[in-house]
Amino acid sequence: MQKNIAVIRGDGIGPEIVEQALKVLDKTAELFCHNFEYTDVDMGGCAIDKWGDPLPEEMLAKCLDSDSVLLGAVGGPKWNDVPGNMRPEKGLLRLRAGMGVYSNNRPAKIWPQLSSASPLKESIVNKGIDFIIVRELIGGIYFGTHKTELAEGQKVAVDELKYSEAEIERIGRIGFETAMKRGKKLCSVEKSNVLDSSRLWKAVMHRLADEYPEVELSDMLVDNCAMQIVKDPSQFDVVVTENMFGDILSDEASMITGSIGMIPSSSLGATKCGLYEPIHGSAPDIAGKDIANPIGTILSAAMMLRFSFDMEKEADAIEEAVSRVLDAGYRTGDIFPSEDNSGLTLVGCSEMGRLIIENIQKG
Ligand code: NAD
């Protein structure tokens, strides 16, 4: 199969981790007789430096022309003081909106080899952590009007939080469909004791529930959900929530699984063209040192094969290679325990990539 992948290396550790993911894709293509072509796209701080814009129109057009987009990460302290609408992260928000990817799916799953890396007690981890957060991605407070005005002699800042029934319904359906493919349990998270947008959210979810009688729907307030994720994460199968709540809860969920460097994500809309990226940022503190964990990006590439290209065996081959390398005791710094580390080998970003490539097998 021939596929054109738009590649956004971005800033900080972005170029290092994407490099490893591309090598993994190349090895997979070679083994399974595919042809992946890559189109480089500038986005984020590097695009601001080069083009004066975090996502120039022609760069967005390259993404829209592709079969899917692979992204490292954008941003960094160098661009902290640029005006709000020119920040590197604005490029990412424009990309998500331009691609119409309204659903972000993040697995929170603990790899058995890394269970000791979880900050939670063994008794909690042993009950199992394996759930998905389905987050609305292109609506809500991040996309409402933002303004700071002078009122009665002081600055007043306003951020608008708006959701329509249609926006809630389309993400709600993804939540129910995802639950149907898993344990058939869906937890809808909102703040309906305070927010109108959440009351509408809850009403739409309950209307949809009639269409999915096999799915057990529950409601949870976002503050309680933040507590339950650390108290008993085994209770969750699929969580569906709005943009800002999902942003915060999915970072919390990633932390309990051990390292932010391990977790991939997919963002999809009405078409098969998706955006695939690790959940972490550009990690400027470790950029350029060849110590970043490339696994989150490599697993994002595997998700691309599975969800956008229907290449199940190829995705399995990558995930199994990651598992074999972890079984053999290789760890990047973020997943290398400071104690009880006998039998483990500390490796850098490129060596981790090389080991995974070496372990990709067909069948
Ligand atoms: P971060 O995720 O970049 O880093 C948080 C911590 O995790 C750091 O200590 C970092 O070293 C570590 N870390 C992250 N990824 C790692 C990896 N693959 N391997 C090993 N360690 C890893 O979050 P931050 O420090 O809050 O943000 C840094 C920059 O990234 C900011 O400019 C922020 O806006 C941006 N950001 C971008 C995205 C994105 O591109 N999608 C997401 C979040 C943050």
Side-chain angles (χ1 to χ4, degrees):
M1 218 182 271
Q2 160 87 30
K3 293 288 175 192
N4 174 22
I5 301 169
V7 176
I8 305 174
R9 292 165 206 266
D11 309 311
I13 59 169
E16 304 166 45
I17 53 179
V18 167
E19 197 56 39
Q20 300 313 314
L22 295 185
K23 287 182 184 167
V24 165
L25 283 174
D26 283 342
K27 175 69 187 284
T28 311
E30 185 192 315
L31 276 181
F32 289 84
C33 302
H34 300 301
N35 183 18
F36 298 145
E37 281 189 0
Y38 307 117
T39 304
D40 274 311
V41 171
D42 298 324
M43 187 180 90
C46 60
I48 296 172
D49 290 350
K50 202 164 158 189
W51 308 103
D53 184 334
L55 183 65
E57 279 304 315
E58 57 272 33
M59 294 294 160
L60 174 61
K62 284 186 187 185
C63 294
L64 298 179
D65 275 350
S66 72
D67 293 307
S68 265
V69 180
L70 181 68
L71 162 67
V74 296
K78 183 177 174 193
W79 303 280
N80 274 355
D81 296 327
V82 299
N85 65 342
M86 283 294 293
R87 288 183 60 88
E89 295 78 4
K90 270 285 168 196
L92 187 53
L93 294 184
R94 272 174 21 208
L95 177 67
R96 289 171 178 164
M99 291 179 71
V101 285
Y102 55 80
S103 162
N104 178 246
N105 308 313
R106 285 188 184 186
K109 182 178 170 166
I110 197 141
W111 289 76
Q113 302 94 331
L114 303 180
S115 57
S116 64
S118 172
L120 297 185
K121 279 189 203 155
E122 215 179 310
S123 58
I124 298 176
V125 174
N126 287 347
K127 287 170 80 182
I129 303 175
D130 184 4
F131 63 101
I132 287 191
I133 296 189
V134 175
R135 164 189 168 195
E136 201 289 324
L137 203 59
I138 56 173
I141 201 161
Y142 294 172
F143 287 85
T145 308
H146 309 288
K147 58 182 178 191
T148 305
E149 293 171 331
L150 266 184
E152 295 174 8
Q154 63 173 330
K155 282 185 186 167
V156 176
V158 181
D159 299 290
E160 179 193 37
L161 166 50
K162 192 162 91 179
Y163 269 112
S164 69
E165 279 183 289
E167 282 175 304
I168 300 170
E169 183 170 331
R170 66 183 181 181
I171 190 71
R173 284 193 187 285
I174 303 262
F176 279 100
E177 297 289 340
T178 309
M180 284 296 287
K181 289 186 198 137
R182 292 176 46 103
K184 299 194 171 64
K185 275 174 67 185
L186 180 65
C187 180
S188 163
V189 173
E190 29 70 4
K191 187 73 184 162
S192 57
N193 54 343
V194 180
L195 300 175
D196 254 41
S197 57
S198 280
R199 282 190 273 274
L200 183 61
W201 179 279
K202 190 172 172 181
V204 173
M205 289 297 157
H206 280 265
R207 173 162 59 72
L208 283 178
D210 293 342
E211 293 178 39
Y212 299 90
E214 283 176 62
V215 176
E216 182 194 321
L217 174 69
S218 60
D219 305 299
M220 196 176 276
L221 295 177
V222 62
D223 37 358
N224 184 26
C225 185
M227 288 193 288
Q228 295 300 328
I229 284 176
V230 289
K231 189 170 168 243
D232 181 15
S234 71
Q235 70 185 281
F236 296 111
D237 177 26
V238 180
V239 170
V240 63
T241 191
E242 59 103 272
N243 202 344
M244 183 168 66
F245 298 162
D247 189 6
I248 298 165
L249 293 177
S250 55
D251 268 14
E252 184 192 9
S254 70
M255 203 49 234
I256 63 166
T257 65
S259 170
I260 200 170
M262 292 292 297
I263 306 185
S265 78
S266 67
S267 303
L268 285 155
T271 72
K272 281 264 181 188
C273 179
L275 171 62
Y276 296 85
E277 54 179 319
I279 65 158
H280 58 74
S282 59
D285 52 331
I286 58 167
K289 296 181 180 164
D290 192 32
I291 56 172
N293 185 348
I295 295 179
T297 318
I298 289 170
L299 293 174
S300 300
M303 279 182 109
M304 173 189 290
L305 302 188
R306 191 183 302 285
F307 294 119
S308 284
F309 303 165
D310 294 321
M311 296 179 183
E312 294 283 338
K313 283 191 195 125
E314 293 82 340
D316 286 347
I318 295 174
E319 288 166 3
E320 281 157 17
V322 169
S323 193
R324 270 194 286 275
V325 171
L326 294 176
D327 279 342
Y330 294 103
R331 304 281 188 272
T332 44
D334 57 312
I335 50 173
F336 189 80
S338 50
E339 293 163 9
D340 292 335
N341 53 23
S342 64
L344 300 180
T345 310
L346 181 65
V347 295
C349 180
S350 47
E351 178 62 4
M352 180 56 91
R354 192 194 65 74
L355 287 161
I356 292 169
I357 290 157
E358 198 177 83
N359 276 278
I360 299 176
Q361 294 168 8
K362 189 178 177 184

